[in-house]
Amino acid sequence: MAAVVLDSLSKTFSTRVKGPGLRGSIRSMFRPEYREVQAVQSIDLTVDLGELVAFIGPNGAGKSTTIKMLTGILHPSAGTASVLGVEPWRNREQLAFRIGAVFGQKSQLWYHLPPLDSFDLLAKIYELDQTSYVTRREQLVETFGVRPYLNTAVRKLSLGERMRCELVAALLHRPEVLFLDEPTIGLDVLAKQTIRSTLRELNANEKVTVFLTSHDVGDIEELAKRVVIINHGQVIYDNRVSHLRHMLLRTKIIDLLLAGPGVVPPLPGVTVIKHTNVGIKLEVDTAVQPIREVVAQLLAVNDVVDVSVTDPPLERVIGLIYRQAAPQ
Amino acid sequence: MKPSPRARRSAARCVAKYLAIGRTGFATAVAYRGEYLLRSVMLLLILYVFTVLWRTVYAAGGHEVVEGFALRDMIWYLVITESIVFSRPRLAGRIDTEVKAGTLAYTLVRPYSYVMFHYAQTLGEALARGLMSFLVGGALVTLLVGPPAFNFGNVGFFLVALLLGATIDFLLSFAVGLLAFWIEETSPIAFIQDRLLMLLGGMMLPLEIFPAFLRTIAGWLPLGMIIYAPARLLVGANTLRPWTVLATQAMWLVVTGVASTWLFRAGVKRVNVHGG
């Protein structure tokens, strides 16, 4: 069964445009001019129950707008969507019991109170049974390792500590679908890893559907199996994460460690990235030049200590997709 | 038709939800002991100054009772009105910030009503602050002018009028805060609202003492229903008809309720502009 279905979902904002300077201000007071901005243009997408999907795109691509429509905050201008079979903006409060959301840029905990008080209050808000709430809370407190901070006011927590508490808060009511809008933004490597591994476990053990937006390639590589890329409000890529590299990248990186100065045989489709006394780094266009041929020639003419052939970093792949989909 | 046990159970949970939110409001209000203490010092200072002032006024006028108020009543009236004013959270500013920062949108992800959430929280905070002010102020005033001569038969009406008044005040401030959907800065409006409440709501003086034209203006505004009317039920000559007060409050409740509901509905449609 599908957890989230988007059916030609669209959202148009009309923003007021103002001419420059005081004259523009006065004119726009009497004769306001509006400009239509298509934030989301007819997105079709289906996410199955238990899937972990990364929803990515450059700034202003329409990610947050989409998440806000799916959580019932915004009404779409056209098209429709359903989350767990419910239209979010029509049955917001009813759906709220079954979904969870974390917005990395906004805290949802009570700023002046310790997290434990926020959790207690959320248990009441989500109408949980006291016993099942306590069991669940203890389990989450253990998994996210937030026990030391339970009684410290939220305003005194570090970003990483707070974010883990935010996730506990979002999961207390056992949501079936979890929306995460940049959950690792601004966190250090260690905090990111804790959050990623815990989310992976939750997705595997409890079959929570996770819908995640992020700018962090690590989130996508380590968490998601499927990635949906949007730009200018449209889906431009929807496939497995592992597929990203193979489909789009015809290039490989060859890294050589040498015993002495090396030589690069002149071959078509080969670009030198770096050439020093002890090493050579090459990029090979595999459509023009088979990788086997390049490696063989390199080994033949150089005194090679070590060799590695790798894919370019995912970050570059995504950058490539963003640029390809730039407006005409 | 009898409600099913399940419906009754979920209604009970719904009430428990808002009670819990109110309790959190109470806890937030007492979370900062320094601020709590400072407020009390301010209140004591005001009450002391006014006691000295009224003593002089009563002595100079040569009357024991002014418009149904003996000196002691006048001071105890102040204790109640000041406690009400001190109990008010800065709700308009809070809503204004939530609208501008877009946090209003995020609270919509939770299973509660945005209005009821703030109502419960406001009442919780107001209870913590108001109770503290009343106890601290009352203790000082008892030392200065003696225990109160309340209309004790009206205590029930007073409590209901207090709650209704706080609700009217909540709805007004909520509406002012929601104006942030349309205008850049709502703080001047909130400022005017606060000052008018203090002057025409009868915080410093019972409305009887006002000149006739001011009384007429005050009578046309809901502000007196927030401070003057509840306080007056308890203190001074027992001339106010409790049921008339409650009926007038109910009328204002409907007016402010319709206004802020309309503003909220219209505002939420504009969430997109600020939510980005």
Side-chain angles (χ1 to χ4, degrees):
Chain A
M1 196 195 125
V4 180
V5 181
L6 284 74
D7 184 6
S8 2
L9 193 72
S10 310
K11 179 74 189 177
T12 312
F13 293 121
S14 66
T15 46
R16 209 159 154 164
V17 281
K18 185 185 85 68
L22 184 64
R23 246 177 78 185
S25 299
I26 293 171
R27 189 179 301 152
S28 88
M29 248 171 84
F30 294 105
R31 279 171 125 209
E33 280 173 48
Y34 292 93
R35 188 169 51 106
E36 300 255 290
V37 179
Q38 282 245 303
V40 174
Q41 296 181 40
S42 189
I43 290 189
D44 292 297
L45 191 67
T46 305
V47 178
D48 286 327
L49 276 176
E51 251 193 297
L52 209 163
V53 178
F55 195 65
I56 65 168
N59 291 324
K63 303 181 300 283
S64 289
T65 307
T66 307
I67 280 213
K68 281 178 188 159
M69 285 192 277
L70 294 177
T71 46
I73 294 170
L74 290 181
H75 288 238
S77 321
T80 184
S82 80
V83 175
L84 298 164
V86 177
E87 257 193 327
W89 50 90
R90 292 242 159 87
N91 299 301
R92 180 177 64 75
E93 278 190 48
Q94 184 204 329
L95 184 65
F97 285 105
R98 301 174 65 194
I99 62 172
V102 172
F103 299 92
Q105 317 243 36
K106 309 268 168 175
S107 176
Q108 301 195 81
L109 301 167
W110 275 257
Y111 189 64
H112 302 297
L113 300 175
L116 191 60
D117 288 13
S118 282
F119 298 157
D120 285 347
L121 183 54
L122 285 169
K124 288 284 190 323
I125 286 173
Y126 283 98
E127 303 176 16
L128 306 177
D129 279 319
Q130 188 61 25
T131 45
S132 64
Y133 154 61
V134 173
T135 326
R136 175 67 166 173
R137 186 191 66 203
E138 288 308 298
Q139 176 210 341
L140 290 171
V141 162
E142 218 44 65
T143 10
F144 283 96
V146 295
R147 196 171 299 283
Y149 329 121
L150 280 183
N151 292 306
T152 314
V154 170
R155 71 192 133 92
K156 291 182 186 154
L157 297 180
S158 78
L159 187 59
E161 293 160 358
R162 203 200 74 207
M163 194 51 70
R164 280 185 274 160
C165 292
E166 301 267 358
L167 281 161
V168 174
L171 288 161
L172 280 175
H173 60 290
R174 297 177 186 276
E176 293 157 66
V177 181
L178 187 61
F179 293 96
L180 303 172
D181 197 1
E182 305 191 28
T184 57
I185 194 161
L187 299 186
D188 64 51
V189 182
L190 218 60
K192 275 182 189 172
Q193 279 170 355
T194 319
I195 287 183
R196 283 175 195 153
S197 63
T198 324
L199 284 174
R200 230 181 0 241
E201 276 168 38
L202 276 166
N203 172 252
N205 300 340
E206 298 183 11
K207 306 278 171 270
V208 191
T209 311
V210 180
F211 196 92
L212 163 106
T213 79
S214 183
H215 285 297
D216 191 314
V217 175
D219 285 347
I220 299 152
E221 272 186 312
E222 292 176 37
L223 271 176
K225 287 201 182 64
R226 175 180 168 195
V227 60
V228 176
I229 304 180
I230 68 166
N231 202 357
H232 303 286
Q234 287 171 314
V235 175
I236 53 173
Y237 181 88
D238 179 1
N239 210 317
R240 299 171 66 83
V241 177
S242 55
H243 193 259
L244 251 182
R245 286 199 178 101
H246 304 310
M247 192 195 80
L248 276 140
L249 282 181
R250 308 174 310 175
T251 55
K252 289 270 181 194
I253 306 281
I254 300 177
D255 222 334
L256 292 178
L257 188 63
L258 303 173
V263 191
V264 180
L267 287 168
V270 174
T271 337
V272 180
I273 299 174
K274 211 160 86 182
H275 192 165
T276 63
N277 278 339
V278 289
I280 300 174
K281 198 173 188 179
L282 302 171
E283 190 178 282
V284 182
D285 186 341
T286 51
V288 180
Q289 188 69 48
I291 192 84
R292 183 163 43 91
E293 189 60 34
V294 186
V295 177
Q297 291 215 20
L298 281 169
L299 292 177
V301 295
N302 290 305
D303 190 0
V304 176
V305 178
D306 191 14
V307 62
S308 73
V309 179
T310 51
D311 292 319
L314 193 58
E315 202 142 68
R316 275 190 52 203
V317 183
I318 291 168
L320 203 70
I321 299 177
Y322 287 180
R323 269 194 296 278
Q324 280 179 354
Q328 314 68 22
Chain B
M1 204 176 78
K2 263 196 186 161
S4 69
R6 201 176 148 190
R8 211 180 302 146
R9 198 165 137 234
S10 80
R13 284 188 173 186
C14 200
V15 172
K17 179 186 306 193
Y18 293 109
L19 278 179
I21 294 167
R23 254 205 312 277
T24 311
F26 194 99
T28 315
V30 293
Y32 291 97
R33 261 174 292 174
E35 191 213 347
Y36 211 58
L37 215 71
L38 200 69
R39 278 170 175 269
S40 305
V41 172
M42 272 296 293
L43 176 71
L44 291 180
L45 207 66
I46 291 171
L47 287 175
Y48 178 72
V49 169
F50 268 92
T51 307
V52 173
L53 201 73
W54 278 117
R55 266 205 186 117
T56 321
V57 171
Y58 272 82
H63 296 285
E64 283 280 306
V65 176
V66 179
E67 299 284 353
F69 281 81
L71 173 66
R72 183 207 285 186
D73 299 331
M74 200 59 97
I75 307 300
W76 274 98
Y77 174 84
L78 261 179
V79 173
I80 295 172
T81 57
E82 291 287 353
S83 297
I84 296 174
V85 171
F86 270 75
S87 74
R88 303 173 67 233
R90 298 188 169 279
L91 181 71
R94 199 176 290 169
I95 304 290
D96 174 273
T97 316
E98 288 197 359
V99 168
K100 283 192 203 143
T103 36
L104 181 144
Y106 298 99
T107 62
L108 296 179
V109 189
R110 297 233 179 93
Y112 54 58
S113 132
Y114 183 71
V115 184
M116 282 303 293
F117 170 81
H118 275 287
Y119 181 56
Q121 182 164 308
T122 301
L123 286 189
E125 280 180 45
L127 188 66
R129 298 217 180 99
L131 211 60
M132 177 72 170
S133 303
F134 183 74
L135 292 176
V136 170
L140 174 79
V141 166
T142 307
L143 290 178
L144 292 175
V145 298
F150 287 152
N151 305 316
F152 285 104
N154 275 351
V155 168
F157 285 115
F158 162 72
L159 291 175
V160 176
L162 199 61
L163 178 68
L164 293 182
T167 311
I168 296 171
D169 186 28
F170 164 80
L171 290 168
L172 275 175
S173 308
F174 192 69
V176 170
L178 285 177
L179 289 177
F181 276 117
W182 295 273
I183 58 179
E184 296 281 326
E185 195 56 70
T186 64
S187 57
I189 302 176
F191 182 81
I192 294 169
Q193 183 208 354
D194 284 356
R195 299 303 123 147
L196 279 180
L197 181 66
M198 288 177 190
L199 289 172
L200 296 176
M203 177 187 84
M204 276 188 254
L205 301 171
L207 298 186
E208 283 92 342
I209 299 196
F210 284 5
F213 82 98
L214 260 184
R215 263 197 95 169
T216 318
I217 297 175
W220 282 103
L221 295 173
L223 305 173
M225 289 296 123
I226 299 166
I227 300 180
Y228 165 76
R232 195 58 188 74
L233 281 171
L234 208 57
V235 190
N238 195 357
T239 49
L240 230 58
R241 289 204 203 102
W243 289 110
T244 316
V245 170
L246 297 190
T248 317
Q249 285 186 316
M251 191 268 295
W252 278 115
L253 214 57
V254 172
V255 173
T256 50
V258 167
S260 51
T261 308
W262 182 80
L263 280 175
F264 184 66
R265 293 233 172 108
V268 163
K269 288 198 189 121
R270 296 173 64 99
V271 160
N272 56 33
V273 179
H274 290 283

